[in-house]
Amino acid sequence: MNHLRAVAEKLRDAGYSYAMINDELGISKSTMSYWFRDKPFTPNHEVVERLKYGPLKIGARRHNQRVQEVARIKEIGIKEVGLLSKRDLWMLGLGLYIGEGSKSIESVRIMNSNPAVILIAVKWLKEICNLSTDNIVISLHLYLDNDVTEAVSYWQSVTGLPYANFRKTQIDTREDKKLNKRGKLPYGTAHLRVVCNGDPSKGVVLFRRINGWMTGALNQYGS
């Protein structure tokens, strides 16, 4: 987690409003709304004194009711999924690849900023595509507000890949990046790539097999 977001979360947990955190840290209200959309909120005494208690109390109650309802429905969904079989993992990874995998060049690549998605991708590549750790390399795409060392350490812990598997980090140096976008990807985007290490069955052949899996699945429901 980047430093600014960590400080903002401490202030929010302490009961400070978006406006007060914005005054303190300069973080936009839209960014905080995204960060804390699922976090219950209880205004502290300072906030209560600063604003009219009635509307604030109603707003906090509505927010917390929404958080509870979201959590309740999410728990129902988790139970509906149940335990995944190996074939479920195959299809889940294939769907992930259809959405996030490379298709224009004969190289197996998957990219995403969600750690859960990247972890599933690694599991899919190992258990379904029969790859070893040596066949999977990763590069990070970061922004100027990201800490490179922190990001690498984070993705190491997520993927379980050794430091030697990390390739050169790419930094987006554009300074005109919208302020409300900053901090939303504290660890950037992870790009997984498969290297065959001299074994074509784990390189171009694998890419073509995955392409066949996609065609076989999509043709059953496509036009």
Side-chain angles (χ1 to χ4, degrees):
M1 182 183 299
N2 70 15
H3 175 71
L4 198 61
R5 178 169 179 173
V7 174
E9 286 202 350
K10 288 182 180 179
L11 291 174
R12 187 63 173 174
D13 289 339
Y16 288 95
S17 67
Y18 290 167
M20 296 172 78
I21 298 174
N22 173 266
D23 290 343
E24 181 71 22
L25 302 177
I27 302 171
S28 71
K29 294 180 182 179
S30 62
T31 295
M32 288 185 282
S33 179
Y34 172 79
W35 283 350
F36 308 140
R37 63 192 183 282
D38 297 326
K39 181 184 287 293
F41 174 64
T42 301
N44 62 27
H45 179 73
E46 185 178 350
V47 174
V48 171
E49 290 297 315
R50 181 169 170 173
L51 303 173
K52 290 183 179 180
Y53 186 74
L56 183 64
K57 184 177 180 180
I58 293 172
R61 184 171 69 245
R62 286 176 177 172
H63 170 81
N64 291 340
Q65 286 174 342
R66 188 191 73 82
V67 170
Q68 292 171 2
E69 179 65 6
V70 169
R72 184 186 70 82
I73 296 173
K74 182 178 181 179
E75 187 61 31
I76 291 173
I78 290 172
K79 291 179 180 178
E80 288 175 335
V81 170
L83 296 176
L84 299 182
S85 67
K86 187 168 183 177
R87 179 170 176 80
D88 291 334
L89 175 61
W90 182 14
M91 293 296 104
L92 177 62
L94 181 59
L96 190 160
Y97 197 90
I98 289 171
E100 304 294 342
S102 61
K103 303 164 188 78
S104 59
I105 56 175
E106 292 193 320
S107 175
V108 178
R109 304 183 183 199
I110 301 172
M111 57 205 74
N112 206 275
S113 60
N114 187 323
V117 170
I118 291 298
L119 182 58
I120 290 170
V122 171
K123 188 176 182 67
W124 184 73
L125 290 171
K126 287 184 174 182
E127 297 189 14
I128 303 301
C129 300
N130 298 315
L131 300 177
S132 68
T133 297
D134 291 341
N135 295 119
I136 305 171
V137 298
I138 181 171
S139 61
L140 304 183
H141 287 229
L142 306 179
Y143 296 96
L144 291 173
D145 56 323
N146 296 132
D147 182 288
V148 176
T149 301
E150 184 180 8
V152 171
S153 177
Y154 173 79
W155 287 109
Q156 270 191 275
S157 67
V158 167
T159 62
L161 297 174
Y163 183 79
N165 290 48
F166 281 72
R167 299 298 185 256
K168 183 178 179 180
T169 297
Q170 303 295 320
I171 306 292
D172 186 340
T173 59
R174 291 176 297 175
E175 295 185 357
D176 60 346
K177 182 186 173 189
K178 292 183 179 179
L179 291 177
N180 65 358
K181 296 292 185 182
R182 295 184 180 179
K184 290 189 176 180
L185 292 177
Y187 306 109
T189 302
H191 291 230
L192 297 176
R193 179 168 58 89
V194 171
V195 290
C196 68
N197 294 327
D199 183 351
S201 69
K202 297 179 179 179
V204 65
V205 173
L206 175 60
F207 174 86
R208 292 169 183 172
R209 282 179 63 208
I210 294 173
N211 194 43
W213 295 345
M214 290 192 293
T215 301
L218 294 174
N219 280 354
Q220 293 189 39
Y221 294 97
S223 56

